[in-house]
Amino acid sequence: VVPEVEYAYILLNKPKDYITTLDDPQGRKTVMELIKGATTQRMFPVGRLDRNTTGVLLLTNDGSFSQQVCHPTFEISKVYEVKLDKFFVSGDRTRLLYGLMLEDGPVSFDEVVVIGEKSLRVTLHEGRNRIVRRTFAYLGYTVVDLCRIAIGSIKLDRLLPGQSMPLTAAEIDSILKN
């Protein structure tokens, strides 16, 4: 008889300098340290954020949920606020929306909103390794600050960096029905 697993879902506002892994042989800080005591379940990150990227990170013990959130065929949006090293050229907005060919395949953003001379809000539904940073580098920019502010309908809201909270059943349903 296989024991029933109680699924758990946590929203974390990932701060800088934490890596998105279960443990690190190099002794760097991991996101798992930030959720100690939040649940008795063995959790894992849903997708990844690089060490210098902040914001929405989901953690769970539900492999099916993780697959649905991460796989591009489910088209769950990821929204990022991007700060660049130089002024954003308006012609690059069109290139981001229509798509570019990176070394590991095509990428296009679903939405690009200019919120300042050097800052944008971008939406895409895939999460390949460092995709936002690599896309802007392809266009000649350096991303100086990157924060994921939403995955589907799940937003940071009032969570401070390093804080976490359990997702409600309604939030879990809303992201899967995105």
Side-chain angles (χ1 to χ4, degrees):
V1 175
V2 177
E4 266 203 44
V5 174
E6 183 179 321
Y7 290 127
Y9 309 86
I10 293 175
L11 165 62
L12 171 68
N13 184 349
K14 181 195 158 305
K16 274 189 179 173
D17 294 324
Y18 281 81
I19 60 171
T20 308
T21 186
L22 297 178
D23 57 45
D24 182 48
Q26 297 176 29
R28 296 171 293 183
K29 299 180 284 191
T30 74
V31 294
M32 303 314 288
E33 297 167 29
L34 297 170
I35 64 158
K36 273 191 176 138
T39 179
T40 58
Q41 302 298 321
R42 182 168 163 77
M43 306 291 278
F44 57 87
V46 176
R48 292 184 176 251
L49 288 177
D50 69 46
R51 188 168 145 193
N52 292 315
T53 300
T54 61
V56 173
L57 182 66
L58 302 177
L59 297 104
T60 189
N61 59 345
D62 182 346
S64 176
F65 174 82
S66 179
Q67 173 73 8
Q68 288 184 55
V69 171
C70 291
H71 202 277
T73 56
F74 292 97
E75 296 192 355
I76 295 179
S77 63
K78 285 87 177 168
V79 183
Y80 296 85
E81 285 188 353
V82 184
K83 289 190 176 61
L84 302 172
D85 63 329
K86 57 187 176 186
F87 294 116
F88 184 68
V89 178
S90 61
D92 286 337
R93 181 177 182 278
T94 303
R95 294 176 75 191
L96 292 170
L97 292 169
Y98 284 99
L100 304 165
M101 184 59 72
L102 300 181
E103 66 278 359
D104 61 345
V107 61
S108 63
F109 289 16
D110 303 326
E111 187 176 36
V112 177
V113 177
V114 177
I115 54 178
E117 294 173 327
K118 297 180 183 179
S119 55
L120 311 163
R121 185 175 308 109
V122 299
T123 304
L124 66 164
H125 61 268
E126 61 179 300
R128 295 192 323 248
N129 187 32
R130 298 175 60 87
I131 192 74
V132 175
R133 291 182 190 276
R134 290 188 300 118
T135 302
F136 281 98
Y138 179 89
L139 293 172
Y141 300 94
T142 298
V143 173
V144 294
D145 196 40
L146 184 60
C147 179
R148 182 162 57 194
I149 59 171
I151 296 177
S153 58
I154 307 299
K155 296 176 177 50
L156 279 181
D157 290 333
R158 297 172 301 278
L159 282 182
L160 297 172
Q163 288 185 328
S164 65
M165 61 183 255
L167 292 178
T168 65
E171 288 171 322
I172 296 160
D173 286 346
S174 74
I175 199 169
L176 296 178
K177 291 176 185 167
N178 189 8

